[in-house]
Amino acid sequence: ENQRTECIVALCEISNTTTDVAVIKLCLDCFDEIVKYSHLPDSCVPPFTSSLCKIVNLERFSVFTWQIMKNVLQTYGESCIRPLCIILDDPQKPTNLLRGATFFLGMSMWGSQRITSLDISPLQILPSMSRVLDSQETIIGHEVCLAIRRLIKKYGDKLHLEWDLLIVIFNKLRTFLGKMPRSQRFMQVLSETVESTVALIRQKQFLGNTDEIFQMLMKYISLLSEGSNLILLEHEIKLLHPAYPNWLLNLKR
């Protein structure tokens, strides 16, 4: 057991430090064999997942790396989710490490290749996704936005307490708006995510705090369609009706 642990840790260190494509491929082949035909000791889970988080950023290896991580998560389950969240909890870590962990969490929990055996509430994942945005790295913001877009589009009508955390994430994502041109993919994804939230309200499937979500959406008014802006306007008008609590205060806003 000790020898196996030392071997796996050494392999992780090699994959983390080399820039040789052939060596990285060899490391991945070894990782794949370990997951398929051996046992990954508990102490090896953090360095093993960290190595995969870094390598998945390399385009030529991204698909293979995801396949390995998918097998890891299917085999070891929640014991591998926690190390990924711990990575995100420290936004000072290297950007490629943060991005890889965010990608793996979003894809495995809510993505097109979701791992159905993982029975983990978004409430366990979203706090870490919120914290990682403190890195202020645009590429991390984009990855978090992709993750919550998947969550809202697929499971938005089932979310309740999660909206408190999602509103915090939306408010943090807003700080990225001035950092990129409107044409960038991140902006498009962010716009689609906000529109999906408005669609839930329109369909009466939104189960969170209505006042808080409208306050957040008003900050994104420049990204919304005309139809969505009309929904926001109707809500604002309703707040000014004398039958509504604090209508005088709303009138002064």
Side-chain angles (χ1 to χ4, degrees):
E1 181 78 20
N2 287 339
Q3 286 183 333
R4 184 195 306 163
T5 298
E6 289 173 5
C7 245
I8 293 172
V9 170
L11 196 61
C12 291
E13 289 176 356
I14 292 170
S15 73
N16 290 339
T17 55
T18 186
T19 57
D20 189 312
V21 171
V23 174
I24 294 172
K25 176 64 167 62
L26 185 59
C27 288
L28 284 177
D29 287 337
C30 292
F31 289 160
D32 191 40
E33 294 294 313
I34 290 168
V35 175
K36 285 181 177 177
Y37 306 112
S38 185
H39 170 71
L40 191 62
D42 290 345
S43 61
C44 291
V45 171
F48 194 89
T49 53
S50 290
S51 292
L52 293 177
C53 286
K54 291 176 180 176
I55 299 173
V56 77
N57 289 275
L58 304 175
E59 188 173 354
R60 68 172 68 193
F61 297 124
S62 60
V63 174
F64 187 26
T65 308
W66 163 240
Q67 288 172 349
I68 296 171
M69 179 57 88
K70 188 175 181 181
N71 287 335
V72 171
L73 291 168
Q74 287 173 329
T75 304
Y76 300 98
E78 191 168 351
S79 64
C80 290
I81 291 293
R82 185 59 193 148
L84 293 174
C85 288
I86 288 173
I87 290 172
L88 301 193
D89 288 339
D90 182 3
Q92 301 304 314
K93 287 187 182 297
T95 301
N96 62 344
L97 181 62
L98 296 173
R99 186 192 184 198
T102 306
F103 167 76
F104 285 142
L105 283 170
M107 184 61 75
S108 63
M109 300 300 298
W110 314 308
S112 58
Q113 299 182 53
R114 174 179 173 263
I115 299 173
T116 55
S117 59
L118 290 174
D119 186 20
I120 299 173
S121 166
L123 291 171
Q124 294 177 251
I125 308 297
L126 292 175
S128 296
M129 288 205 168
S130 175
R131 277 189 283 273
V132 77
L133 289 173
D134 294 336
S135 68
Q136 285 297 301
E137 293 285 349
T138 302
I139 197 168
I140 302 301
H142 185 197
E143 207 63 58
V144 169
C145 197
L146 286 169
I148 66 168
R149 182 183 67 169
R150 297 182 187 114
L151 173 63
I152 292 171
K153 279 194 168 185
K154 285 189 175 182
Y155 310 106
D157 59 340
K158 297 177 178 65
L159 303 176
H160 184 36
L161 296 176
E162 292 85 354
W163 282 109
D164 290 342
L165 293 166
L166 285 169
I167 288 171
V168 172
I169 289 173
F170 271 121
N171 284 330
K172 287 187 176 184
L173 286 172
R174 187 171 152 269
T175 64
F176 292 89
L177 289 181
K179 297 182 178 181
M180 66 204 75
R182 186 72 176 260
S183 59
Q184 275 206 5
R185 178 62 181 153
F186 179 14
M187 294 288 281
Q188 295 169 20
V189 173
L190 183 54
S191 178
E192 290 169 10
T193 308
V194 179
E195 286 285 359
S196 295
T197 303
V198 177
L200 289 171
I201 296 170
R202 185 186 296 114
Q203 296 157 12
K204 302 189 185 304
Q205 294 178 327
F206 178 78
L207 303 177
N209 185 305
T210 304
D211 287 339
E212 288 185 4
I213 200 68
F214 272 106
Q215 286 176 23
M216 182 278 291
L217 290 171
M218 286 299 292
K219 298 172 184 176
Y220 281 99
I221 198 163
S222 63
L223 294 184
L224 291 170
S225 65
E226 184 177 334
S228 295
N229 281 330
L230 283 173
I231 290 175
L232 299 189
L233 182 59
E234 288 170 1
H235 179 74
E236 288 294 302
I237 292 172
K238 184 179 76 172
L239 295 181
L240 302 179
H241 193 279
Y244 199 89
N246 300 320
W247 71 278
L248 279 174
L249 292 175
N250 294 327
L251 188 61
K252 295 176 181 177
R253 285 195 305 173

